[in-house]
Amino acid sequence: MAALASGAVLLAGAPASAHVTVSPTVTTADSYTVLTVSVPHGCDGSSTTRVAIQIPDLINSVTPTINQGWTVEKVMADLDPPVTDSHGNELTERVAEVVYTAKTPLPDDMRDVFELSLKLPDAAGEELIFPAIQTCEQGEAAWAQVPADGQDSHELDYPAPSFVITAADDDSAGGGHAADDAADEAADDAADDAAGSTELTPASSTTDTGPSSLLGWIGLFLGLLGFIAGALALHRTRKAA
């Protein structure tokens, strides 16, 4: 891989304007991420038939996403000595390359993407380089050039897709905490709304146990007694007559 990364083997014509790139969902060290490898065009007008993505030595395990237009193969390499993964399993080989082969050649004016799921190593500041060999019906483009110290990758004709692993600083490491804080705040707001509704219930209820309500019940009771007394008096008067 080192020999390949030192330069590009170009069997196609002049380099195209858009490069093969890799875009991670997360760059934080020791985190899981999904890499999107973009292939924006063919080889100087020729349709793409195969894309081989080389995996850096710091990464042992890769899970490729199925692409309906391509077959996918993981090329393995022996690990000597074996290593232990984060789950305590001993690994005797690693994924050295992921190869996508087109069921139907990808036209030069079309693009496609390939996704790779993996765990980033705990190596903040390290640049991960993914040389990609694009084979076409006519020719090949090796996206494997690595800039020299102080050189801008944009100056290269066929730069290798790459990105830098970042440290788990307050912003990146706190992403989950920010989400938790937002959830807590939403829960607090919901609790406040519920409390507000409870406080409004006595005022909107038809049942009132305050002093004014008690006086009303007493008045109603006295009125009922008066009505009964009047009815009894009327009954006696009619009986006497």
Side-chain angles (χ1 to χ4, degrees):
M1 183 184 300
L4 178 60
S6 64
V9 179
L10 306 179
L11 301 182
S17 57
H19 301 157
V20 171
T21 59
V22 58
S23 302
T25 55
V26 174
T27 59
T28 308
D30 202 31
S31 298
Y32 287 94
T33 188
V34 175
L35 308 182
T36 299
V37 179
S38 173
V39 179
H41 51 70
C43 305
D44 193 30
S46 181
S47 298
T48 300
T49 58
R50 184 176 184 269
V51 178
I53 306 165
Q54 298 184 3
I55 308 302
D57 293 338
L58 290 177
I59 297 173
N60 295 319
S61 180
V62 177
T63 302
T65 299
I66 293 176
N67 186 311
Q68 296 300 325
W70 306 70
T71 61
V72 59
E73 175 190 5
K74 292 192 290 186
V75 179
M76 309 301 292
D78 292 336
L79 283 172
D80 187 17
V83 299
T84 302
D85 65 13
S86 57
H87 300 289
N89 301 315
E90 183 181 73
L91 302 179
T92 59
E93 57 182 6
R94 61 177 292 272
V95 178
E97 189 176 46
V98 177
V99 180
Y100 283 91
T101 303
K103 296 177 181 178
T104 301
L106 177 68
D108 176 64
D109 60 347
M110 298 290 179
R111 67 182 295 272
D112 211 336
V113 295
F114 309 104
E115 293 185 341
L116 308 175
S117 175
L118 53 88
K119 185 177 183 181
L120 297 175
D122 189 5
E126 185 78 21
E127 182 179 20
L128 295 181
I129 301 173
F130 297 82
I133 309 304
Q134 179 184 9
T135 302
C136 299
E137 290 181 316
Q138 297 180 6
E140 178 183 273
W143 300 91
Q145 291 180 331
V146 177
D149 291 342
Q151 184 181 20
D152 190 335
S153 62
H154 292 90
E155 299 175 5
L156 302 176
D157 292 333
Y158 291 86
S162 66
F163 65 90
V164 176
I165 301 175
T166 57
D169 54 25
D170 292 340
D171 290 336
S172 59
H177 297 300
D180 291 341
D181 291 342
D184 290 341
E185 184 177 351
D188 290 341
D189 290 342
D192 291 341
D193 291 341
S197 298
T198 302
E199 291 172 359
L200 290 174
T201 299
S204 61
S205 175
T206 57
T207 302
D208 193 344
T209 57
S212 59
S213 178
L214 181 59
L215 291 176
W217 281 108
I218 292 174
L220 180 60
F221 179 73
L222 292 177
L224 181 59
L225 289 178
F227 175 80
I228 294 173
L232 290 174
L234 178 62
H235 178 70
R236 293 193 191 100
T237 301
R238 290 181 176 177
K239 188 175 181 180

Short mmCIF file of all heavy atoms in Angstrom, two decimals, residues 91-134:
data_model
loop_
_atom_site.label_atom_id
_atom_site.label_comp_id
_atom_site.label_asym_id
_atom_site.label_seq_id
_atom_site.Cartn_x
_atom_site.Cartn_y
_atom_site.Cartn_z
N LEU A 91 -8.40 -11.32 16.74
CA LEU A 91 -8.44 -11.20 15.29
C LEU A 91 -7.13 -11.67 14.71
O LEU A 91 -6.05 -11.21 15.10
CB LEU A 91 -8.70 -9.75 14.87
CG LEU A 91 -9.99 -9.09 15.40
CD1 LEU A 91 -10.07 -7.65 14.91
CD2 LEU A 91 -11.21 -9.88 14.96
N THR A 92 -7.21 -12.61 13.76
CA THR A 92 -6.00 -13.11 13.10
C THR A 92 -5.85 -12.56 11.68
O THR A 92 -4.83 -12.78 11.03
CB THR A 92 -6.04 -14.65 13.03
OG1 THR A 92 -7.21 -15.06 12.31
CG2 THR A 92 -6.08 -15.25 14.43
N GLU A 93 -6.88 -11.83 11.21
CA GLU A 93 -6.80 -11.20 9.91
C GLU A 93 -7.62 -9.91 9.92
O GLU A 93 -8.48 -9.70 10.78
CB GLU A 93 -7.30 -12.13 8.80
CG GLU A 93 -8.71 -12.65 8.99
CD GLU A 93 -9.12 -13.61 7.89
OE1 GLU A 93 -8.27 -13.97 7.05
OE2 GLU A 93 -10.31 -14.00 7.86
N ARG A 94 -7.34 -9.05 8.99
CA ARG A 94 -8.01 -7.76 8.89
C ARG A 94 -8.51 -7.53 7.47
O ARG A 94 -8.07 -8.20 6.53
CB ARG A 94 -7.06 -6.62 9.29
CG ARG A 94 -5.82 -6.52 8.41
CD ARG A 94 -4.94 -5.33 8.77
NE ARG A 94 -5.60 -4.08 8.47
CZ ARG A 94 -5.51 -3.48 7.27
NH1 ARG A 94 -4.80 -4.01 6.29
NH2 ARG A 94 -6.13 -2.34 7.07
N VAL A 95 -9.45 -6.57 7.34
CA VAL A 95 -9.93 -6.18 6.01
C VAL A 95 -8.92 -5.21 5.41
O VAL A 95 -8.74 -4.09 5.90
CB VAL A 95 -11.32 -5.52 6.09
CG1 VAL A 95 -11.78 -5.10 4.69
CG2 VAL A 95 -12.33 -6.46 6.72
N ALA A 96 -8.24 -5.65 4.37
CA ALA A 96 -7.22 -4.82 3.74
C ALA A 96 -7.77 -4.00 2.58
O ALA A 96 -7.23 -2.95 2.22
CB ALA A 96 -6.07 -5.70 3.25
N GLU A 97 -8.88 -4.50 2.00
CA GLU A 97 -9.43 -3.83 0.81
C GLU A 97 -10.89 -4.22 0.66
O GLU A 97 -11.28 -5.34 0.98
CB GLU A 97 -8.63 -4.25 -0.41
CG GLU A 97 -8.93 -3.49 -1.69
CD GLU A 97 -8.00 -3.92 -2.83
OE1 GLU A 97 -7.80 -5.14 -3.02
OE2 GLU A 97 -7.47 -3.04 -3.52
N VAL A 98 -11.69 -3.28 0.19
CA VAL A 98 -13.09 -3.55 -0.14
C VAL A 98 -13.24 -3.25 -1.63
O VAL A 98 -12.93 -2.14 -2.09
CB VAL A 98 -14.06 -2.69 0.69
CG1 VAL A 98 -15.50 -2.94 0.26
CG2 VAL A 98 -13.89 -2.97 2.18
N VAL A 99 -13.74 -4.24 -2.37
CA VAL A 99 -13.81 -4.12 -3.83
C VAL A 99 -15.27 -4.16 -4.28
O VAL A 99 -15.99 -5.11 -3.98
CB VAL A 99 -13.03 -5.25 -4.52
CG1 VAL A 99 -13.13 -5.10 -6.04
CG2 VAL A 99 -11.57 -5.24 -4.08
N TYR A 100 -15.68 -3.11 -4.98
CA TYR A 100 -17.01 -3.06 -5.59
C TYR A 100 -16.85 -3.27 -7.09
O TYR A 100 -16.07 -2.56 -7.74
CB TYR A 100 -17.67 -1.71 -5.33
CG TYR A 100 -18.24 -1.56 -3.93
CD1 TYR A 100 -17.47 -1.02 -2.90
CD2 TYR A 100 -19.55 -1.94 -3.65
CE1 TYR A 100 -17.99 -0.87 -1.62
CE2 TYR A 100 -20.07 -1.79 -2.38
CZ TYR A 100 -19.29 -1.26 -1.36
OH TYR A 100 -19.80 -1.13 -0.10
N THR A 101 -17.59 -4.24 -7.64
CA THR A 101 -17.56 -4.52 -9.08
C THR A 101 -18.95 -4.25 -9.66
O THR A 101 -19.95 -4.79 -9.16
CB THR A 101 -17.16 -5.98 -9.35
OG1 THR A 101 -15.88 -6.24 -8.75
CG2 THR A 101 -17.08 -6.25 -10.85
N ALA A 102 -19.00 -3.45 -10.71
CA ALA A 102 -20.29 -3.02 -11.28
C ALA A 102 -20.98 -4.15 -12.00
O ALA A 102 -20.36 -4.88 -12.78
CB ALA A 102 -20.06 -1.85 -12.23
N LYS A 103 -22.27 -4.32 -11.73
CA LYS A 103 -23.08 -5.28 -12.50
C LYS A 103 -23.30 -4.74 -13.92
O LYS A 103 -23.33 -5.51 -14.89
CB LYS A 103 -24.41 -5.50 -11.79
CG LYS A 103 -24.27 -6.14 -10.41
CD LYS A 103 -25.62 -6.27 -9.71
CE LYS A 103 -25.46 -6.87 -8.32
NZ LYS A 103 -26.77 -6.97 -7.60
N THR A 104 -23.48 -3.42 -13.99
CA THR A 104 -23.53 -2.72 -15.27
C THR A 104 -22.60 -1.53 -15.16
O THR A 104 -22.67 -0.78 -14.18
CB THR A 104 -24.96 -2.22 -15.58
OG1 THR A 104 -25.85 -3.34 -15.61
CG2 THR A 104 -25.00 -1.49 -16.90
N PRO A 105 -21.67 -1.33 -16.10
CA PRO A 105 -20.71 -0.23 -15.99
C PRO A 105 -21.38 1.11 -15.67
O PRO A 105 -22.44 1.44 -16.23
CB PRO A 105 -20.03 -0.21 -17.35
CG PRO A 105 -20.12 -1.64 -17.82
CD PRO A 105 -21.46 -2.12 -17.33
N LEU A 106 -20.77 1.86 -14.77
CA LEU A 106 -21.27 3.18 -14.39
C LEU A 106 -20.85 4.20 -15.44
O LEU A 106 -19.64 4.43 -15.63
CB LEU A 106 -20.72 3.56 -13.01
CG LEU A 106 -21.09 4.95 -12.49
CD1 LEU A 106 -22.59 5.03 -12.18
CD2 LEU A 106 -20.27 5.29 -11.24
N PRO A 107 -21.80 4.83 -16.14
CA PRO A 107 -21.45 5.79 -17.20
C PRO A 107 -20.59 6.94 -16.67
O PRO A 107 -20.68 7.32 -15.50
CB PRO A 107 -22.81 6.29 -17.70
CG PRO A 107 -23.76 5.19 -17.34
CD PRO A 107 -23.26 4.63 -16.04
N ASP A 108 -19.81 7.49 -17.55
CA ASP A 108 -18.88 8.57 -17.17
C ASP A 108 -19.61 9.79 -16.63
O ASP A 108 -19.08 10.51 -15.78
CB ASP A 108 -18.05 8.96 -18.40
CG ASP A 108 -17.13 10.14 -18.11
OD1 ASP A 108 -16.24 9.99 -17.26
OD2 ASP A 108 -17.33 11.21 -18.71
N ASP A 109 -20.85 10.04 -17.10
CA ASP A 109 -21.58 11.22 -16.65
C ASP A 109 -22.49 10.92 -15.47
O ASP A 109 -23.38 11.73 -15.13
CB ASP A 109 -22.39 11.82 -17.80
CG ASP A 109 -23.42 10.84 -18.37
OD1 ASP A 109 -23.34 9.63 -18.04
OD2 ASP A 109 -24.32 11.28 -19.11
N MET A 110 -22.30 9.78 -14.81
CA MET A 110 -23.07 9.42 -13.63
C MET A 110 -22.13 9.25 -12.44
O MET A 110 -20.93 9.00 -12.62
CB MET A 110 -23.86 8.12 -13.85
CG MET A 110 -24.88 8.20 -14.97
SD MET A 110 -26.27 9.27 -14.52
CE MET A 110 -27.26 9.17 -16.03
N ARG A 111 -22.69 9.36 -11.23
CA ARG A 111 -21.88 9.15 -10.02
C ARG A 111 -22.53 8.09 -9.15
O ARG A 111 -23.72 7.79 -9.30
CB ARG A 111 -21.74 10.45 -9.21
CG ARG A 111 -23.04 10.95 -8.59
CD ARG A 111 -22.83 12.27 -7.85
NE ARG A 111 -21.95 12.14 -6.71
CZ ARG A 111 -22.36 11.80 -5.49
NH1 ARG A 111 -23.64 11.55 -5.26
NH2 ARG A 111 -21.51 11.71 -4.49
N ASP A 112 -21.75 7.56 -8.23
CA ASP A 112 -22.28 6.61 -7.26
C ASP A 112 -21.46 6.74 -5.98
O ASP A 112 -20.38 7.35 -5.98
CB ASP A 112 -22.21 5.17 -7.79
CG ASP A 112 -23.34 4.31 -7.24
OD1 ASP A 112 -23.88 4.66 -6.15
OD2 ASP A 112 -23.70 3.30 -7.88
N VAL A 113 -21.98 6.17 -4.88
CA VAL A 113 -21.31 6.25 -3.60
C VAL A 113 -21.28 4.86 -2.96
O VAL A 113 -22.17 4.04 -3.18
CB VAL A 113 -21.98 7.25 -2.64
CG1 VAL A 113 -21.87 8.67 -3.19
CG2 VAL A 113 -23.44 6.90 -2.40
N PHE A 114 -20.27 4.63 -2.14
CA PHE A 114 -20.12 3.38 -1.41
C PHE A 114 -19.94 3.72 0.06
O PHE A 114 -19.18 4.62 0.41
CB PHE A 114 -18.92 2.59 -1.94
CG PHE A 114 -18.92 2.43 -3.43
CD1 PHE A 114 -18.07 3.20 -4.23
CD2 PHE A 114 -19.77 1.54 -4.06
CE1 PHE A 114 -18.06 3.06 -5.61
CE2 PHE A 114 -19.78 1.40 -5.43
CZ PHE A 114 -18.93 2.16 -6.21
N GLU A 115 -20.62 2.97 0.93
CA GLU A 115 -20.56 3.25 2.37
C GLU A 115 -19.85 2.13 3.10
O GLU A 115 -20.11 0.94 2.87
CB GLU A 115 -21.97 3.42 2.94
CG GLU A 115 -22.68 4.67 2.42
CD GLU A 115 -24.03 4.87 3.09
OE1 GLU A 115 -24.57 3.90 3.66
OE2 GLU A 115 -24.56 6.00 3.03
N LEU A 116 -18.96 2.52 4.01
CA LEU A 116 -18.20 1.58 4.83
C LEU A 116 -18.39 1.95 6.30
O LEU A 116 -18.12 3.08 6.69
CB LEU A 116 -16.71 1.62 4.48
CG LEU A 116 -16.34 1.47 3.00
CD1 LEU A 116 -14.84 1.65 2.82
CD2 LEU A 116 -16.77 0.11 2.47
N SER A 117 -18.85 0.98 7.09
CA SER A 117 -19.01 1.21 8.52
C SER A 117 -17.81 0.63 9.26
O SER A 117 -17.41 -0.52 9.02
CB SER A 117 -20.30 0.55 9.02
OG SER A 117 -20.42 0.68 10.42
N LEU A 118 -17.24 1.41 10.18
CA LEU A 118 -16.06 0.96 10.91
C LEU A 118 -15.86 1.78 12.17
O LEU A 118 -16.54 2.79 12.38
CB LEU A 118 -14.81 1.05 10.02
CG LEU A 118 -14.53 2.42 9.36
CD1 LEU A 118 -13.70 3.32 10.26
CD2 LEU A 118 -13.81 2.22 8.02
N LYS A 119 -14.94 1.32 13.03
CA LYS A 119 -14.59 2.06 14.23
C LYS A 119 -13.24 2.72 14.02
O LYS A 119 -12.26 2.06 13.62
CB LYS A 119 -14.55 1.15 15.46
CG LYS A 119 -14.29 1.92 16.75
CD LYS A 119 -14.33 1.01 17.97
CE LYS A 119 -14.14 1.82 19.24
NZ LYS A 119 -14.15 0.96 20.46
N LEU A 120 -13.16 4.01 14.31
CA LEU A 120 -11.91 4.74 14.16
C LEU A 120 -10.96 4.38 15.29
O LEU A 120 -11.38 4.15 16.43
CB LEU A 120 -12.17 6.25 14.17
CG LEU A 120 -13.04 6.79 13.03
CD1 LEU A 120 -13.31 8.27 13.23
CD2 LEU A 120 -12.35 6.55 11.68
N PRO A 121 -9.66 4.33 15.01
CA PRO A 121 -8.69 4.03 16.07
C PRO A 121 -8.56 5.20 17.04
O PRO A 121 -8.92 6.34 16.72
CB PRO A 121 -7.40 3.81 15.29
CG PRO A 121 -7.58 4.57 14.02
CD PRO A 121 -9.04 4.49 13.68
N ASP A 122 -8.07 4.90 18.22
CA ASP A 122 -7.85 5.94 19.22
C ASP A 122 -6.51 6.61 18.92
O ASP A 122 -5.50 6.39 19.59
CB ASP A 122 -7.85 5.31 20.62
CG ASP A 122 -7.85 6.37 21.72
OD1 ASP A 122 -7.96 7.57 21.39
OD2 ASP A 122 -7.73 5.99 22.90
N ALA A 123 -6.53 7.44 17.87
CA ALA A 123 -5.29 8.05 17.38
C ALA A 123 -5.59 9.45 16.85
O ALA A 123 -5.50 9.70 15.65
CB ALA A 123 -4.67 7.18 16.30
N ALA A 124 -5.95 10.35 17.77
CA ALA A 124 -6.27 11.72 17.38
C ALA A 124 -5.07 12.37 16.68
O ALA A 124 -3.92 12.21 17.09
CB ALA A 124 -6.66 12.53 18.60
N GLY A 125 -5.35 13.08 15.59
CA GLY A 125 -4.30 13.75 14.83
C GLY A 125 -3.76 12.92 13.69
O GLY A 125 -3.06 13.44 12.81
N GLU A 126 -4.09 11.61 13.68
CA GLU A 126 -3.59 10.73 12.62
C GLU A 126 -4.44 10.91 11.35
O GLU A 126 -5.66 10.98 11.40
CB GLU A 126 -3.67 9.28 13.09
CG GLU A 126 -3.07 8.28 12.13
CD GLU A 126 -1.55 8.24 12.18
OE1 GLU A 126 -0.98 8.66 13.21
OE2 GLU A 126 -0.94 7.78 11.19
N GLU A 127 -3.76 10.97 10.21
CA GLU A 127 -4.47 11.05 8.94
C GLU A 127 -4.70 9.64 8.40
O GLU A 127 -3.75 8.84 8.30
CB GLU A 127 -3.69 11.87 7.92
CG GLU A 127 -4.43 12.02 6.59
CD GLU A 127 -3.66 12.85 5.58
OE1 GLU A 127 -2.43 12.99 5.74
OE2 GLU A 127 -4.29 13.34 4.62
N LEU A 128 -5.94 9.33 8.10
CA LEU A 128 -6.28 8.04 7.51
C LEU A 128 -6.40 8.21 6.00
O LEU A 128 -7.16 9.05 5.52
CB LEU A 128 -7.59 7.50 8.09
CG LEU A 128 -7.58 7.18 9.58
CD1 LEU A 128 -8.94 6.63 10.00
CD2 LEU A 128 -6.47 6.17 9.91
N ILE A 129 -5.66 7.40 5.26
CA ILE A 129 -5.63 7.50 3.80
C ILE A 129 -6.25 6.24 3.20
O ILE A 129 -5.93 5.13 3.60
CB ILE A 129 -4.18 7.67 3.30
CG1 ILE A 129 -3.57 8.94 3.91
CG2 ILE A 129 -4.14 7.74 1.77
CD1 ILE A 129 -2.10 9.12 3.61
N PHE A 130 -7.18 6.44 2.26
CA PHE A 130 -7.91 5.33 1.62
C PHE A 130 -7.66 5.36 0.11
O PHE A 130 -8.51 5.84 -0.65
CB PHE A 130 -9.40 5.46 1.90
CG PHE A 130 -9.78 5.36 3.36
CD1 PHE A 130 -9.67 6.46 4.20
CD2 PHE A 130 -10.25 4.16 3.89
CE1 PHE A 130 -10.01 6.38 5.55
CE2 PHE A 130 -10.60 4.06 5.24
CZ PHE A 130 -10.47 5.17 6.06
N PRO A 131 -6.51 4.88 -0.35
CA PRO A 131 -6.27 4.85 -1.79
C PRO A 131 -7.39 4.08 -2.50
O PRO A 131 -7.82 3.02 -2.05
CB PRO A 131 -4.93 4.11 -1.91
CG PRO A 131 -4.27 4.35 -0.58
CD PRO A 131 -5.38 4.33 0.42
N ALA A 132 -7.87 4.63 -3.60
CA ALA A 132 -8.98 4.01 -4.34
C ALA A 132 -8.56 3.81 -5.79
O ALA A 132 -8.18 4.77 -6.47
CB ALA A 132 -10.23 4.87 -4.25
N ILE A 133 -8.63 2.57 -6.25
CA ILE A 133 -8.26 2.26 -7.62
C ILE A 133 -9.53 2.10 -8.44
O ILE A 133 -10.34 1.20 -8.22
CB ILE A 133 -7.43 0.96 -7.70
CG1 ILE A 133 -6.27 1.01 -6.70
CG2 ILE A 133 -6.93 0.76 -9.13
CD1 ILE A 133 -5.36 2.20 -6.87
N GLN A 134 -9.73 3.02 -9.39
CA GLN A 134 -10.92 3.05 -10.23
C GLN A 134 -10.59 2.44 -11.59
O GLN A 134 -9.78 2.97 -12.34
CB GLN A 134 -11.41 4.50 -10.38
CG GLN A 134 -12.64 4.66 -11.25
CD GLN A 134 -13.01 6.13 -11.42
OE1 GLN A 134 -12.26 7.03 -11.04
NE2 GLN A 134 -14.16 6.38 -12.02
#
